[in-house]
Amino acid sequence: MEIKDVFKELIRNFQDRKLSEFTDRSMQLPMNTGKIVSLTGVRRSGKTYILYQSIAGLYKQGIKPEQIIFINFEDERLPDNPETFDMVLQAYRELFPDRKLSECYFFFDEIQNIDKWEKFVRRLNDQESKNIFITGSNSKLLGREIATELRGRAINYELYPLGFKEYLAFRDIAIDLYVPSQKAKIIAAFDDFLFRGGFPETIGFSEHIHRKVIQEYFNTMLFRDIVERYNVADVNVLKFFVKKIIASVTSPLSVNKIYNEIRSNKYETGKNVLYDYLRYVEEAYMTVVINKYDHSIIKQENSNKKVYAIDNSFLPVLDYYVSSNKGKLLENFAALEFIKSGKKIFYFKQIKECDFIVESNTGFLPIQVAFSIKDTTTRKRELDGLMAACKYLDVNKGMIISYGEPENFKYQHIDVQVVEAYKYFL
């Protein structure tokens, strides 16, 4: 079959396809901006699903199926040849000679699989259509590379695994905290979410299958998105380093400490190599990184970072001991929920430490995360850290996010609110 005929088949097959009902994600891609809209993010987070959701929305607005051109460039019949792109346009014109390309919406999934994709997309945007949406796997197409290649023509969106509210929607659990039976379902789902995370595909998997799938996700990211992309020679050192990062979530990361551990395990590497690995892991969306808060921007950038796993499912799968550390799971969950909601967050550390400083339009809010503060020692530690952050920021209120035990009280002239995690993030 000629390449043009392959494209005709792909175009018509998708147009004839009946899109199933969607559980909407919180992310909604903008339509009719005149910009190329790109979508990047961790593998298996649902980028193709978001494209389908956007197309379903267009149909509801009256856009006809023949105005939609959806191509998945992972199709094995398509050659890695820049001339392939022109065949898309030729195929469409022959199928619909009376339809203008300016009236069409182009959705290109995994477009980076064809060489010189960026030149084609720029030309298409300049000459034919202002409705272009692209996704790319992080192994070959990063958000910062899109900004470079498309020279200001693109708006990039980052997609994460499901947030807690999305997770409830995908499990068809209505949010109603005033019906005891429904509240019990929500709390049970929250317990599951803490351990199993939010990769959409894994919802409903048995414990055994879930664990194997998450391990496979991890291995694919490690080898395809880091080892192959950056030609990493010593895979054992990389794996050791990544697992140490995952094990150290909730604490400021010390590359120097990990370096010494690697050397004590008879591995040979350099500190600069480990700093490169840290960047690779973040660029592959395996982790998210937050800075230490400081009034000096330079000190913020040069401080040790706090690193969180991109999804809670990685923690118990990659580090068995995290399974019993519900405090780590809760803090990783909270960090991700803040980031998914678009909040800018930092951590605070001087003599005392506070888990998060959350920036909003109304100012800064210091927040501690603790599974429980019933223990007297734990309570004092969390409150002292909260107090130190409040004093540094010159604010008079702080918050503790816990698994349960809501209360409000004053601590050394600071108003403290203790909130239940599942309820706060709903």
Side-chain angles (χ1 to χ4, degrees):
M1 185 182 290
E2 292 186 3
I3 299 304
K4 190 191 299 183
D5 291 327
V6 172
F7 279 122
K8 287 181 179 180
E9 183 178 302
L10 291 173
I11 291 168
R12 291 297 296 127
N13 279 348
F14 187 86
Q15 291 173 347
D16 284 345
R17 178 179 179 180
K18 180 174 174 56
L19 295 179
S20 58
E21 290 296 316
F22 289 94
T23 301
D24 284 342
R25 296 288 304 264
S26 58
M27 174 179 286
Q28 303 286 327
L29 295 182
M31 300 289 116
N32 306 308
T33 64
K35 293 284 190 179
I36 300 160
V37 178
S38 64
L39 184 61
T40 57
V42 64
R43 288 179 181 274
R44 312 308 299 171
S45 57
K47 295 187 288 294
T48 303
Y49 186 98
I50 293 290
L51 294 188
Y52 290 169
Q53 177 180 292
S54 299
I55 293 167
L58 288 172
Y59 288 160
K60 290 178 181 178
Q61 295 173 26
I63 299 299
K64 305 296 183 185
E66 59 264 28
Q67 292 176 257
I68 302 297
I69 301 171
F70 183 98
I71 304 293
N72 185 342
F73 284 98
E74 287 197 315
D75 193 297
E76 78 285 353
R77 294 172 293 178
L78 301 180
D80 181 6
N81 185 329
E83 295 176 2
T84 300
F85 289 118
D86 260 339
M87 294 295 176
V88 177
L89 305 185
Q90 290 180 33
Y92 184 82
R93 286 188 175 111
E94 291 179 14
L95 286 170
F96 304 98
D98 297 327
R99 178 70 71 178
K100 295 178 181 178
L101 290 177
S102 60
E103 300 172 347
C104 296
Y105 291 78
F106 292 83
F107 294 85
F108 295 142
D109 204 8
E110 302 296 345
I111 193 173
Q112 81 291 332
N113 284 322
I114 309 298
D115 193 28
K116 297 183 180 179
W117 63 269
E118 67 282 0
K119 292 184 178 180
F120 168 71
V121 170
R122 285 203 302 266
R123 176 165 62 86
L124 183 63
N125 180 248
D126 287 341
Q127 299 177 8
E128 304 291 357
S129 176
K130 297 299 181 183
N131 303 307
I132 303 172
F133 304 81
I134 64 175
T135 75
S137 70
N138 30 295
S139 63
K140 294 183 180 178
L141 187 63
L142 301 173
R144 61 180 177 79
E145 291 172 332
I146 289 173
T148 300
E149 298 291 356
L150 298 182
R151 300 174 186 172
R153 290 177 171 88
I155 306 173
N156 186 55
Y157 290 83
E158 289 185 335
L159 184 66
Y160 297 92
L162 301 175
F164 182 49
K165 286 180 73 172
E166 292 179 309
Y167 180 75
L168 292 177
F170 271 64
R171 287 188 52 179
D172 199 24
I173 298 175
I175 299 174
D176 190 337
L177 299 177
Y178 299 101
V179 177
S181 61
Q182 201 62 28
K183 181 178 178 181
K185 287 182 182 179
I186 291 170
I187 294 173
F190 178 69
D191 291 342
D192 287 341
F193 190 70
L194 277 184
F195 286 89
R196 295 170 64 92
F199 283 109
E201 181 189 30
T202 65
I203 293 176
F205 284 174
S206 68
E207 183 67 28
H208 173 69
I209 298 299
H210 179 271
R211 190 175 188 86
K212 288 185 73 67
V213 169
I214 296 301
Q215 187 69 59
E216 186 59 34
Y217 286 178
F218 172 78
N219 289 335
T220 301
M221 293 173 199
L222 190 77
F223 287 99
R224 291 192 61 187
D225 301 338
I226 299 179
V227 174
E228 292 179 13
R229 178 182 174 89
Y230 299 104
N231 297 313
V232 173
D234 198 332
V235 178
N236 288 329
V237 171
L238 175 65
K239 290 179 76 171
F240 184 92
F241 180 72
V242 173
K243 289 188 176 183
K244 280 295 177 182
I245 288 177
I246 298 299
S248 68
V249 296
T250 74
S251 300
L253 181 69
S254 171
V255 172
N256 188 60
K257 182 179 178 181
I258 297 177
Y259 170 76
N260 290 331
E261 288 186 54
I262 289 173
R263 294 295 298 272
S264 67
N265 280 274
K266 310 302 180 185
Y267 291 120
E268 290 295 328
T269 191
K271 285 184 186 178
N272 288 339
V273 172
L274 297 185
Y275 280 108
D276 285 340
Y277 287 174
L278 181 60
R279 176 169 56 85
Y280 299 162
V281 169
E282 185 182 5
E283 288 180 347
Y285 295 104
M286 296 176 76
T287 61
V288 292
V289 174
I290 68 172
N291 289 329
K292 175 183 173 183
Y293 184 83
D294 196 284
H295 294 315
S296 165
I297 302 298
I298 295 175
K299 288 183 179 179
Q300 277 186 21
E301 291 299 324
N302 293 332
S303 65
N304 285 340
K305 314 298 182 187
K306 257 190 175 184
V307 181
Y308 294 94
I310 195 67
D311 190 70
N312 264 36
S313 61
F314 280 169
L315 273 64
V317 168
L318 299 179
D319 186 354
Y320 174 78
Y321 294 102
V322 175
S323 299
S324 59
N325 192 331
K326 294 180 179 179
K328 278 196 173 189
L329 289 166
L330 191 65
E331 185 176 330
N332 199 87
F333 157 80
L336 293 175
E337 290 292 306
F338 283 130
I339 290 168
K340 290 171 186 176
S341 67
K343 295 286 197 304
K344 191 170 183 179
I345 59 173
F346 307 86
Y347 77 94
F348 173 83
K349 186 172 184 180
Q350 289 188 339
I351 298 174
K352 305 293 184 180
E353 183 174 343
C354 184
D355 295 326
F356 299 116
I357 292 175
V358 181
E359 184 178 0
S360 68
N361 294 333
T362 57
F364 295 99
L365 178 65
I367 296 179
Q368 294 279 44
V369 178
F371 195 81
S372 172
I373 56 170
K374 284 184 177 179
D375 177 76
T376 304
T377 302
T378 301
R379 187 181 183 91
K380 186 176 188 311
R381 182 184 67 242
E382 300 296 334
L383 289 172
D384 285 349
L386 197 65
M387 179 68 188
C390 287
K391 185 175 180 181
Y392 184 80
L393 293 166
D394 193 24
V395 297
N396 61 4
K397 65 179 179 179
M399 181 180 289
I400 297 175
I401 296 174
S402 74
Y403 182 80
E405 311 155 13
E407 57 177 313
N408 294 289
F409 57 90
K410 276 192 176 291
Y411 183 76
Q412 299 184 23
H413 309 296
I414 298 297
D415 292 322
V416 179
Q417 182 182 15
V418 183
V419 298
E420 295 168 284
Y422 81 91
K423 190 178 293 186
Y424 178 77
F425 288 107
L426 292 182

